[in-house]
Each structure stands twice: as structure tokens, then as C-alpha cells.
Amino acid sequence: MYDLIVIGAGPAGLTAAYELSNSNKKVIILEKKSQVGGLAETKVFGNYRYDIGPHRFFTKNKEVYELFLKMLGEDAVEVNRKTRILFKNSYFDYPLTPINALFGLGIGESIVIGFSYIFARIKSYLKISKINNFEDWVVDRFGKKLFNNFFKNYTEKVWGIDCKDIGSDWAAQRIKGLSLSTAIKFALFPNSKKRPKTLVDKFYYPRLGAGMLWEKFEDYIEKQGIKVAKNKKVTGVINNGDSFKVTIEDNLGNQTSIDTKNIFFSNPLLEFIDIYDAEIPESVINSAESLNYRNHISVHVTIDKKLFDDNWIYIHSPNLDMARIADFTNFSDDMSEEGKYPLTLEYFCFEEDEIWNQDNSDIIDFALKELKNIFDEEFNVIHSEVSRNAKAYPVIKTGYQEHIDVIKNWLASLHNITAIGRSGMFKYNNQDHAMATGLYAARTLLGHGNFDPWEVNVDGEYHEELSNN
Ligand SMILES: Cc1cc2nc3c(=O)[nH]c(=O)nc-3n(C[C@H](O)[C@H](O)[C@H](O)COP(=O)(O)OP(=O)(O)OC[C@H]3O[C@@H](n4cnc5c(N)ncnc54)[C@H](O)[C@@H]3O)c2cc1C
């Protein structure tokens, strides 16, 4: 009988195990894939290394940051961030600089942008603007014209729904602190403190890709005696009252089961509800059925020409399906061999969309056509591969939070089961948040206090730490 089974060896599961690795708890991690890191894994094909999408590590949680640096040691590479937006065949700095945003589109368009901004600010000042969704929130701060140019297309590519159907709380979380006036302030005074996180321009990156951090966690915890069992998919959780029987299928289709007193799960919340073998209230089922995930496709191609020196470029152009493109040699030289450039081209879709159901070779052909459309340059393709990441983005459709609350309350009534991480908690969050949820869940299990992972905010901070600042 295990004290704890952790489902998933992504950042949340591995950090939870790390925290428990010096205790006398008998712990095992079950991971369905053949490698660790979850969405933050790095795919390695020969000499070419690709993240499934670019991963920039940033956190306001000091403890999480120190852990990140401790685990990486000399393998933490400092990267100067360079990111731009491609829109209407022109490049715009990201974060937007006012001069670039206003004049990049020509003087006529700039005047419209200026007026629409002033109009929005007056409405906001007079308190006559209504903020019911993502679009309202952005228009209120930036004006309708900037919203249409620099927010609408990309956001709708990522989420697959109208910006009016996305909750305003998401905008408040993700682009909080950013307004046209703060963008101007930070463009003029780049060293000012209290820089909003969208504007941070230096970050650390693991020398061999985002996944390197998680391989180091794996090594560390295995040395401490915790097994990370890969190719082990959890297919069922049976609640026996004071313990659980967890059924597992390996990559050859063999079934086994193991018993445990506690479970931390970081696999997708809706999937956990599906495999939880006990009576589930109808309200929970209904809420689960109202929620959805967005799938993510990474097209990895290594080419023999450097096309750009950005870490990544956001593709806002509505005529292209591609959402973002990254060159990993702009993160770390060790991601490839000399003169070869591993790129990840990203697409978002739902399970039923055509692209998700196409052959890899068709997806690669399509992505390369789009790449040539953007850069109009000759290059040779040295390597290409596709990664499919199902349920990568929990869709934060307006009203989703009420459904999550129903599920959260139900989970709270089940003893010894704790949701952790991004997919497990249906939160559109980063590695630091996932790590913090793992840390706090582990501390509760160790009897160090009652830390609720749901209280970790988007910055990876626990709510009580915030009140101390
Ligand atoms: C394209 C993209 C770009 C991103 N960019 C950044 C960034 O710049 N900075 C940043 O900090 N974060 C970024 N993130 C977010 C970051 O990847 C996640 O926050 C983080 O990986 C979440 O960790 P997790 O452990 O909660 O979940 P996951 O990473 O999803 O890990 C869950 C694990 O559970 C496993 N699993 C699932 N089902 C089962 C099952 N039934 N049995 C066993 N195992 C199972 C999965 O295989 C996976 O390994 C990005 C994510 C994406 C998709």
C-alpha cells in the first residue's frame, strides 16, 4: 500500500514528489508517456531539440524561483527576450511599444487608434463602459482599434471562440498591470520596478530545453527513492472508503492495479472525473459536460537557414492558421548543431477539427506552406515531426468558473484526493503555478499545515504570502 500515488510526471507531480522525497512516505508517480515534463517537455530528435511551444520561466514566488535555479545549477541560461507580433505583413514589438504600434500601421490608422483609445478612456472615466467579457476588458483599456489589431485574431486562434465568450477575469489575470500608459512608461523607463509580467524582458531557460528541468527533478527524486513509472497510464480510480485501488495500463496494453491511501492527480480534471469509479453527483457531471479543452499541435521542423532572431513570433495575421513560431537556437545554442535551426510552429484546434484528424505528413506540408508564405525565403528542411497535445488548454469560456466551483466543492468532499497543476485544476497557468500547487499539496500531506492548492494564485503565490507583503 502506497501512502501516495501521483498521477502525471509534469511540473506539478514532480514538484510534489520532490517535496515528499525527504519524508518517510511511500510515493510513486505514474506517467502515461515515455518521458517526463508534461506540457513542458522537450522533444529530442537526433541533434535537434524542440519544446512543444516556447517556455519562458517567470515567477513571483521566491521559493519556486530558487528551486528552479537550484535544480538547474549551471544549466540555467540567461536569455534576452525578443518577441514580436506579425500582423498585416508588418512586425510589431511585443510587448507593444507605442511608437511602433501607432506608426507601424501608417499615419491614418494611427489617428484612428489614438481616437479610439481616447474614446475608450473617456467612457471608462465616466463609468459608462460595461465589462462583461475579454473583449470589453481590452477595449476599455486600449480602445477598439488596438483590440481588433493586436488582441482579437490571436486570442481567437488560441481559444477557438469569440472574444466576447471569454471571461474578463482571464484578461485581468494575464495582462494585468498593462495599459497603454504603462507600456509607454516602461518603454521610456525600462528599468522601473514593478514591471508587469507581460513586459519582463530577460528570463532563464534550461540549456537543453524546458524539459531539462523536469528530467533533473526526475533524477533527483529517483535518487531519493521515489519511482517515476513511465508508460503507465492510469485508467481507473476505485474508492474503497479508506483507500483507493488505481488501475494502470502500460504501453503494451497490460493491466495492473496498486493500492494507495492518497492520490494527487495532475491529469486533466475532466478525464479524472471519467475514470473515477464511484457515484458522482449529477451537478458535477453536468458541470464537467459544460467544460472543454483546446488541443494543441506542434509542428517541429529543423531548417538550414536562420529566418528570425526572436525567441518567438506571434502570428496575428488572420490569413494564417499558425498561431506562433519559435526558433530554439534563440534560447540556447545547445538546442541544435551549428547552422541548423529547430523551429516549432504552433496550431490550436478542437478534437473534431480537420487538422487534428489529418495525417502528420499533411500537417507538416501545410505548416511549411504557411512558413514560406511568411518568410518568402529558400531553405532546406532537415527534419520534421508533429506532436499532438490533447487537452492542452482549458477553455476559459465565460461562466466556466461556476462549473469549476461545483466540481471543486465535490472534490473537497472526497477525502485524500487532491487536484494539482494546470490540467488537474482546469487552470490556464504556467509552470510556476503548477509547481506551487504540488509543493503545497505535499506540505499538507506531510502535516505541515492546511495548504489548499486552489489558493495558489496565477503568479504561483499562496494567498497568505500575499497578505504578508
Ligand atoms: C504551448 C505551451 C506554451 C507554454 N508556455 C509556457 C511558458 O512560457 N512558461 C511557463 O511557465 N509555462 C508555459 N506553459 C504551461 C506549462 O507547460 C504548464 O503550466 C505546465 O506544464 C503544467 O504542469 P502540470 O504538471 O500541471 O501539467 P502537465 O504538464 O499537463 O502534466 C501532466 C502530466 O500528466 C500525464 N498524464 C495525463 N493523463 C494521465 C494518465 N491518465 N495517467 C498517467 N499520466 C497522465 C501527462 O502525460 C503529463 O505528463 C505552456 C504550455 C503550453 C501548452
Side-chain angles (χ1 to χ4, degrees):
M1 168 83 69
Y2 280 89
D3 289 310
L4 173 70
I5 285 178
V6 180
I7 306 177
L14 288 165
T15 312
Y18 166 90
E19 188 66 1
L20 289 157
S21 61
N22 283 322
S23 72
N24 56 4
K25 301 277 183 209
K26 193 175 169 206
V27 179
I28 185 168
I29 305 189
L30 302 173
E31 166 56 52
K32 71 174 179 184
K33 291 198 279 189
S34 58
Q35 77 179 90
V36 301
L39 294 169
E41 72 183 339
T42 296
K43 299 272 185 191
V44 184
F45 302 99
N47 292 335
Y48 315 124
R49 311 178 76 93
Y50 314 83
D51 295 348
I52 65 152
H55 272 67
R56 171 183 73 124
F57 194 89
F58 175 76
T59 188
K60 289 188 176 167
N61 182 324
K62 192 162 171 276
E63 183 184 15
V64 164
Y65 194 51
E66 282 168 0
L67 181 56
F68 170 87
L69 290 178
K70 173 186 149 190
M71 294 306 271
L72 279 180
E74 289 181 352
D75 288 315
V77 180
E78 199 181 21
V79 180
N80 286 318
R81 169 181 171 155
K82 180 177 178 195
T83 46
R84 285 179 300 166
I85 293 171
L86 175 66
F87 179 66
K88 288 193 177 167
N89 299 325
S90 299
Y91 287 94
F92 297 85
D93 297 332
Y94 183 89
L96 280 175
T97 51
I99 302 297
N100 189 209
L102 290 177
F103 297 106
L105 289 165
I107 196 73
E109 188 107 345
S110 321
I111 291 171
V112 180
I113 288 174
F115 275 114
S116 104
Y117 172 69
I118 293 166
F119 181 63
R121 295 318 299 154
I122 292 172
K123 267 178 83 181
S124 181
Y125 181 74
L126 297 175
K127 297 194 172 19
I128 52 171
S129 40
K130 289 202 181 89
I131 313 233
N132 293 323
N133 53 51
F134 175 79
E135 176 166 335
D136 295 343
W137 193 96
V138 178
V139 169
D140 180 65
R141 272 152 191 85
F142 296 90
K144 182 88 174 171
K145 192 70 190 165
L146 269 182
F147 165 77
N148 282 338
N149 287 356
F150 293 111
F151 291 89
K152 186 174 164 61
N153 288 321
Y154 185 76
T155 309
E156 291 182 358
K157 272 187 203 182
V158 173
W159 297 107
I161 52 177
D162 195 297
C163 284
K164 283 194 190 313
D165 292 328
I166 298 174
S168 53
D169 57 334
W170 177 68
Q173 268 182 16
R174 302 300 288 198
I175 37 186
K176 114 180 119 179
L178 184 64
S179 63
L180 208 55
S181 56
T182 21
I184 293 170
K185 186 171 127 203
F186 284 100
L188 296 176
F189 306 104
N191 296 324
S192 301
K193 288 193 178 138
K194 294 197 175 165
R195 207 172 172 74
K197 85 168 153 198
T198 6
L199 300 184
V200 170
D201 54 13
K202 260 187 208 300
F203 60 94
Y204 280 112
Y205 182 75
R207 187 175 59 81
L208 293 176
M212 183 187 203
L213 174 66
W214 304 110
E215 284 156 22
K216 290 202 174 219
F217 267 79
E218 180 188 19
D219 285 353
Y220 178 93
I221 59 181
E222 289 220 307
K223 282 194 187 113
Q224 305 290 314
I226 293 183
K227 185 159 177 50
V228 181
K230 290 175 281 195
N231 294 314
K232 299 276 187 282
K233 179 176 179 179
V234 173
T235 51
V237 172
I238 300 162
N239 192 336
N240 289 330
D242 54 357
S243 68
F244 304 95
K245 186 172 282 304
V246 171
T247 55
I248 305 159
E249 188 178 295
D250 70 14
N251 50 336
L252 302 172
N254 302 315
Q255 314 268 344
T256 43
S257 68
I258 44 178
D259 294 318
T260 180
K261 291 183 199 150
N262 297 277
I263 293 175
F264 291 175
F265 72 90
S266 68
N267 54 322
L269 178 59
L270 305 187
E271 181 192 291
F272 182 82
I273 294 171
D274 266 354
I275 62 172
Y276 183 67
D277 192 356
E279 204 167 311
I280 300 178
E282 213 177 307
S283 57
V284 172
I285 308 271
N286 290 341
S287 283
E289 282 171 356
S290 310
L291 298 168
N292 197 6
Y293 294 95
R294 190 92 165 133
N295 292 357
H296 175 265
I297 296 178
S298 319
V299 181
H300 308 300
V301 289
T302 292
I303 59 172
D304 60 355
K305 182 165 213 169
K306 190 157 193 87
L307 296 177
F308 54 92
D309 60 4
D310 307 64
N311 305 112
W312 64 87
I313 298 173
Y314 295 103
I315 314 292
H316 284 222
S317 313
N319 58 326
L320 296 166
D321 288 350
M322 193 189 300
R324 191 164 53 174
I325 177 170
D327 177 342
F328 292 98
T329 60
N330 297 334
F331 288 72
S332 162
D333 291 340
D334 294 331
M335 295 294 280
S336 184
E337 62 198 40
E338 184 80 31
K340 307 285 186 317
Y341 305 96
L343 314 176
T344 291
L345 286 48
E346 294 174 77
Y347 293 88
F348 294 86
C349 59
F350 290 112
E351 196 130 332
E352 59 280 10
D353 288 350
E354 195 186 336
I355 187 168
W356 187 255
N357 297 296
Q358 273 177 338
D359 290 341
N360 285 357
S361 58
D362 292 336
I363 296 177
I364 291 168
D365 287 348
F366 177 73
L368 284 172
K369 222 160 81 193
E370 291 213 325
L371 185 65
K372 291 199 164 139
N373 184 334
I374 297 172
F375 292 102
D376 193 22
E377 300 242 22
E378 289 301 316
F379 53 79
N380 294 305
V381 177
I382 317 287
H383 167 259
S384 57
E385 191 54 77
V386 170
S387 308
R388 292 163 194 262
N389 309 293
K391 303 187 172 63
Y393 280 60
V395 178
I396 35 76
K397 199 173 167 169
T398 315
Y400 83 101
Q401 192 56 54
E402 286 147 36
H403 296 299
I404 290 297
D405 288 344
V406 170
I407 298 173
K408 201 167 108 179
N409 289 337
W410 166 70
L411 282 174
S413 72
L414 307 175
H415 296 292
N416 307 330
I417 293 184
T418 308
I420 56 172
R422 165 166 162 141
S423 304
M425 301 171 76
F426 203 90
K427 287 202 172 194
Y428 171 55
N429 277 343
N430 283 332
Q431 293 169 98
D432 61 325
H433 175 271
M435 291 169 76
T437 61
L439 276 183
Y440 293 121
R443 281 180 194 159
T444 305
L445 188 70
L446 288 168
H448 296 335
N450 190 12
F451 300 99
D452 181 1
W454 294 96
E455 296 296 330
V456 178
N457 70 13
V458 66
D459 294 315
E461 297 165 313
Y462 197 69
H463 75 134
E464 281 167 10
E465 289 166 24
L466 275 181
S467 54
N468 293 337
N469 289 335

